[in-house]
Amino acid sequence: MTVHFIGAGPGAADLLTLRAVRLLQESPICLYAGTYIDDEVLSHCGPETELIDTAYLNLDAITATLVAAHDAGHDVARLCSGDPSIYSAIAEQTRRLDAAGVPWDLTPGVPAYAATAALIGRELTVPEVAQSVVLTRAQKDSTTMPPGETLAAFAATNATLVLHLAIRHTRRLADELSAHYGANCPVVVGSQVTQPEELILRGTLADIADQVEAAGLTQAAVIIVGWALSAEDFVESHLYSSRPPRPAGEGRPDASLV
């Protein structure tokens, strides 16, 4: 039997993939993060599915539940908010499952930063403005960042910066980033995007902290910083540029070989 780690996306039940919905319907047990995943998403589960909220379980208890389900012959849907590839803590869970001999797989989900970019109608990589997106987080009351992964080092590239787990440190981060991007650099904060409580804040590094504090945001928010958020006067990419016609037959399979 298999543990299916499933990206639940940013919150909207209709943003789950078809594969995710199928696995939720077929798995007799579903572990989910109740802090971030609501009843609408859980409605994809079967009527007899056993629902277990991991908000009240530590890693040992979660692992024990997954192993016990496997031993009983049950598939398990392990719902993660956003996409499992970033800040989902699946690495420590899958390491334990490997040690216990429990098979597992991953189903991607829509990350919150992508949902936020969609809501504001912006591409985060604009030609000759920003061609890189850095996904990182704040570090204060959490695990230490690896050597070299400093906010200043990322900001020095002027890439579009996406900050996770950082909303409580907005003022400190905005002050630090202003030295690299400039105080007028645009910032967007997406809080609980695609959910009923959704909130989008637009500002600059100079005023975004005031907005965040006024809104009382303390969790479930992503901060996006960069000039791609406001770029209007930029060159067009080569993706749809005019190209000379391809000579007849060039690059096509020889008809005699088909």
Side-chain angles (χ1 to χ4, degrees), residues 15-140:
L15 280 180
L16 272 72
T17 65
L18 294 174
R19 180 185 299 177
V21 171
R22 176 179 59 80
L23 291 173
L24 287 172
Q25 292 171 341
E26 296 176 351
S27 300
I29 300 173
C30 176
L31 276 68
Y32 68 99
T35 306
Y36 302 106
I37 295 171
D38 62 15
D39 291 341
E40 188 176 2
V41 171
L42 294 175
S43 69
H44 289 305
C45 295
E48 303 301 322
T49 301
E50 179 184 358
L51 301 176
I52 301 173
D53 186 353
T54 60
Y56 306 100
L57 302 178
N58 61 24
L59 183 57
D60 289 335
I62 291 172
T63 303
T65 301
L66 297 175
V67 173
H70 168 73
D71 292 343
H74 299 309
D75 280 352
V76 180
R78 176 68 171 106
L79 270 175
C80 314
S81 60
D83 179 77
S85 67
I86 52 172
Y87 307 119
S88 63
I90 64 165
E92 55 212 72
Q93 296 175 67
T94 56
R95 179 171 61 183
R96 292 185 176 214
L97 292 179
D98 287 341
V102 177
W104 53 270
D105 58 30
L106 298 177
T107 296
V110 176
Y113 79 89
T116 301
L119 286 169
I120 63 173
R122 281 288 176 178
E123 182 180 357
L124 303 183
T125 54
V126 176
E128 297 189 6
V129 176
Q131 290 290 279
S132 302
V133 178
V134 176
L135 310 177
T136 188
R137 64 168 174 84
Q139 194 279 310
K140 188 173 182 182

Side-chain angles (χ1 to χ4, degrees), residues 208-229:
I208 197 63
D210 291 336
Q211 294 190 51
V212 166
E213 291 169 5
L217 301 184
T218 59
Q219 64 176 9
V222 64
I223 305 170
I224 304 177
V225 180
W227 290 102
L229 295 172

Side-chain angles (χ1 to χ4, degrees), residues 166-176 178 183 185 187-189 201-217 223 225:
I167 198 66
R168 292 185 293 116
H169 311 293
T170 303
R171 186 170 297 280
R172 172 175 63 85
L173 297 174
D175 289 343
E176 184 174 349
S178 292
C185 182
V187 181
V188 169
V189 171
L201 301 178
R202 302 170 188 254
T204 66
L205 287 172
D207 63 25
I208 197 63
D210 291 336
Q211 294 190 51
V212 166
E213 291 169 5
L217 301 184
I223 305 170
V225 180

